[in-house]
Amino acid sequence: MISLSSLSRTPIYQQIIEQILAQIACGALVPDQQLPGVRNLANDLGINPNTVVKAYTELEMNGYIYSLQGKGSFVKKRDGDNNLVSIKLEEVEKDLNILYQLGIQKSRIEEILNRVFSGGHHE
Amino acid sequence: MISLSSLSRTPIYQQIIEQILAQIACGALVPDQQLPGVRNLANDLGINPNTVVKAYTELEMNGYIYSLQGKGSFVKKRDGDNNLVSIKLEEVEKDLNILYQLGIQKSRIEEILNRVFSGGHHE
DNA sequence: TTAAATGTACTACTATAATAGTACAGTAGT
DNA sequence: ACTACTGTACTATTATAGTAGTACATTTAA
């Protein structure tokens, strides 16, 4: 369900976050569906439970899941923008500003934008 | 010429890089112009020379400046894409993919793009 | 009440990033 | 040759991020 790449230098907890986000986005995980327990997932991945906790905590702070002590962690219903969207938008804007300062052509960005947003499996 | 914000949690050497890049981009620094020496700049900013070295080294690796031992560091003529541009383009593409996965509307990005690239003081 | 699941909290270890200290080496002018 | 400037190289210190260890608290079902 979730697989780690030890070759990658992106942190374990980040890899978990990204994969869960992807599964929520593509519908593999639906609202109120229970996520694997922190110990189960940690055992499956051969890591420390607290690393999973870190991933879950961040997902919760960003409004993607909710956790109930003693019960488990579950997928949350989306309600408009959440923190992650805001953060990523800010990141993109910051990078675009730098690229603009570096004198890159606007069309270069538009090409990327069109390519990414024609992936097809949305709307 | 360069000012640091100790409030900001972006590293000192990064702040130096960004400000020099900005000055190159806006024409305040022109090709073959000499940059302040590592010790001078370090003294002005009240930091360690090696922190300036780190900034200069990274700028050199990315093709923005060149350094000659005993002579100084100088602004380099641009020749198409360099590492920084490539890196930032990759970062943007990665973030855009995430935003796409999060279900954001393409128009939201286009708004940002238009705003950033209408800053005016370029072309 | 007991047991087994769950999430939580706190501490500790480790690796890496950021900065600083000090010594070295090349260049230019005197 | 000497001096004063330049960048360079290497080591040391410090802060922070990432991960792990261990104990705690809640829920649910037997």
Side-chain angles (χ1 to χ4, degrees):
Chain A
M1 192 175 187
I2 285 185
S3 62
L4 298 181
S5 159
S6 49
L7 304 138
S8 169
R9 47 249 154 275
T10 68
I12 299 176
Y13 79 98
Q14 270 288 354
Q15 297 187 39
I16 296 174
I17 289 174
E18 288 169 10
Q19 295 189 40
I20 290 183
L21 281 180
Q23 292 180 20
I24 292 178
C26 77
L29 289 173
V30 298
D32 294 319
Q33 180 172 347
Q34 183 162 9
L35 295 166
V38 290
R39 288 171 189 76
N40 287 342
L41 185 51
N43 285 340
D44 288 355
L45 299 176
I47 61 175
N48 188 288
N50 263 330
T51 304
V52 178
V53 168
K54 182 161 190 173
Y56 280 17
T57 301
E58 192 157 317
L59 284 168
E60 186 170 23
M61 288 193 307
N62 287 325
Y64 287 101
I65 70 175
Y66 60 95
S67 297
L68 303 176
Q69 182 158 332
K71 303 188 74 171
S73 299
F74 307 85
V75 177
K76 198 170 171 182
K77 237 185 304 278
R78 280 279 311 284
D79 47 356
D81 268 14
N82 47 34
N83 281 347
L84 221 193
V85 169
S86 304
I87 290 170
K88 286 300 169 189
L89 282 175
E90 281 175 23
E91 268 183 46
V92 165
E93 178 158 1
K94 192 176 168 189
D95 282 345
L96 286 181
N97 268 302
I98 293 175
L99 285 167
Y100 174 67
Q101 288 229 314
L102 294 176
I104 200 181
Q105 291 299 313
K106 186 181 178 185
S107 56
R108 301 271 310 271
I109 310 290
E110 289 170 332
E111 282 173 25
I112 297 174
L113 182 59
N114 290 330
R115 175 154 37 81
V116 170
F117 276 79
S118 66
H121 57 293
H122 269 219
E123 57 252 75
Chain B
M1 192 179 189
I2 285 185
S3 62
L4 298 181
S5 159
S6 49
L7 304 139
S8 169
R9 48 250 155 275
T10 68
I12 299 176
Y13 80 98
Q14 269 288 353
Q15 297 187 40
I16 296 174
I17 290 174
E18 288 170 11
Q19 296 190 39
I20 291 184
L21 281 180
Q23 293 182 20
I24 292 178
C26 77
L29 290 172
V30 298
D32 294 319
Q33 179 172 349
Q34 183 162 8
L35 295 167
V38 290
R39 288 173 189 74
N40 288 341
L41 185 50
N43 285 341
D44 288 355
L45 300 176
I47 61 175
N48 189 288
N50 263 329
T51 304
V52 178
V53 168
K54 181 162 188 174
Y56 280 16
T57 302
E58 192 157 317
L59 283 168
E60 186 170 25
M61 289 194 306
N62 287 325
Y64 287 101
I65 71 175
Y66 60 95
S67 296
L68 302 175
Q69 182 157 332
K71 305 190 74 173
S73 299
F74 308 85
V75 177
K76 197 170 172 184
K77 237 185 305 281
R78 279 280 312 286
D79 48 354
D81 269 13
N82 47 33
N83 281 349
L84 220 192
V85 169
S86 304
I87 290 171
K88 286 300 170 188
L89 281 176
E90 282 175 21
E91 267 184 46
V92 166
E93 177 158 1
K94 192 177 167 189
D95 281 346
L96 286 182
N97 268 303
I98 293 175
L99 284 167
Y100 175 67
Q101 287 229 315
L102 293 177
I104 202 183
Q105 291 298 315
K106 185 182 179 184
S107 56
R108 300 275 307 271
I109 309 291
E110 288 171 332
E111 282 173 27
I112 297 174
L113 181 59
N114 289 330
R115 175 155 37 82
V116 170
F117 276 78
S118 67
H121 57 292
H122 268 219
E123 60 253 67

